[in-house]
Amino acid sequence: FLAVLVYFTIPFLPRLPFIPGQMVESYGVLGTVEAITSFHTTIRKFDGNLVFLPNAMVLASKIHNFSYTPNRRIEFNLSVAIDSDLDLVKERLLAVVTANHRVLSDPAPAVFAMHADASGIQLALYCWVVNADFLGTRSELWQEILSVSREGRGLTLAVPRQEVSLRDFR
């Protein structure tokens, strides 16, 4: 009787949308699924720590499963100096990302001006990579962008600053 009951109830039991070995983010925890039991899911974070999440919490939270997507977008939010030549900045940023062999050409990398204020011009840089290359490529590109900025090759990152005016109220 128990076997028949289990057989007919299995389709109605909630299933987690991932399996061990997949990279997921659930309940604010990002890492690789190590194990799934009937009570909890074990996720190994990228710093090596193991996190045990009760399955009820996992099912109640938003779950990002990065393993089902073949390609993934890398997004950089940069603030460049307000007096920057935007055409030159875009050219330099695109040169950095297209020079990396892991960045995909389709869809093509793109740079957009998103906002400007007294502290600088906010840019968004987008490029796509194979999912497995995401973290390594993102790190390499950040290092290269910072290198280009330090060398003064047409890319000056904004430095937050605040002006204070003192007035004599006598």
Side-chain angles (χ1 to χ4, degrees):
F1 172 74
L2 184 59
V4 172
L5 180 64
V6 169
Y7 177 78
F8 285 110
T9 58
I10 283 179
F12 300 104
L13 295 175
R15 290 197 180 119
L16 296 170
F18 48 76
I19 59 174
Q22 293 185 331
M23 182 176 25
V24 300
E25 181 177 9
S26 177
Y27 213 74
V29 178
L30 175 66
T32 304
V33 177
E34 286 279 315
I36 302 169
T37 69
S38 55
F39 299 107
H40 68 272
T41 297
T42 306
I43 298 176
R44 183 175 298 277
K45 293 174 38 177
F46 294 112
D47 63 4
N49 286 321
L50 288 175
V51 178
F52 299 89
L53 294 173
N55 288 337
M57 287 175 52
V58 173
L59 286 170
S61 74
K62 180 170 57 173
I63 299 169
H64 292 275
N65 187 336
F66 299 104
S67 300
Y68 291 125
T69 308
N71 300 329
R72 192 163 167 199
R73 186 180 77 184
I74 297 176
E75 178 179 342
F76 297 99
N77 294 303
L78 305 161
S79 182
V80 297
I82 194 74
D83 59 350
S84 296
D85 177 350
L86 280 185
D87 291 330
L88 181 60
V89 169
K90 287 180 179 182
E91 178 185 313
R92 294 291 189 254
L93 289 171
L94 290 173
V96 166
V97 296
T98 56
N100 189 300
H101 69 281
R102 294 189 282 187
V103 172
L104 302 175
S105 59
D106 186 27
V111 179
F112 299 99
M114 305 302 281
H115 177 72
D117 58 24
S119 64
I121 303 167
Q122 308 302 315
L123 300 177
L125 167 62
Y126 302 111
C127 63
W128 289 82
V129 296
V130 173
N131 195 355
D133 295 336
F134 177 80
L135 289 174
T137 305
R138 187 171 190 274
S139 176
E140 287 175 14
L141 291 174
W142 263 123
Q143 290 173 14
E144 185 61 26
I145 289 169
L146 292 174
S147 175
V148 168
S149 173
R150 277 191 229 104
E151 293 170 5
R153 294 188 276 165
L155 174 61
T156 305
L157 296 178
V159 177
R161 58 183 149 190
Q162 183 176 15
E163 290 184 23
V164 178
S165 298
L166 300 176
R167 297 183 184 190
D168 188 4
F169 290 106
R170 293 186 254 176

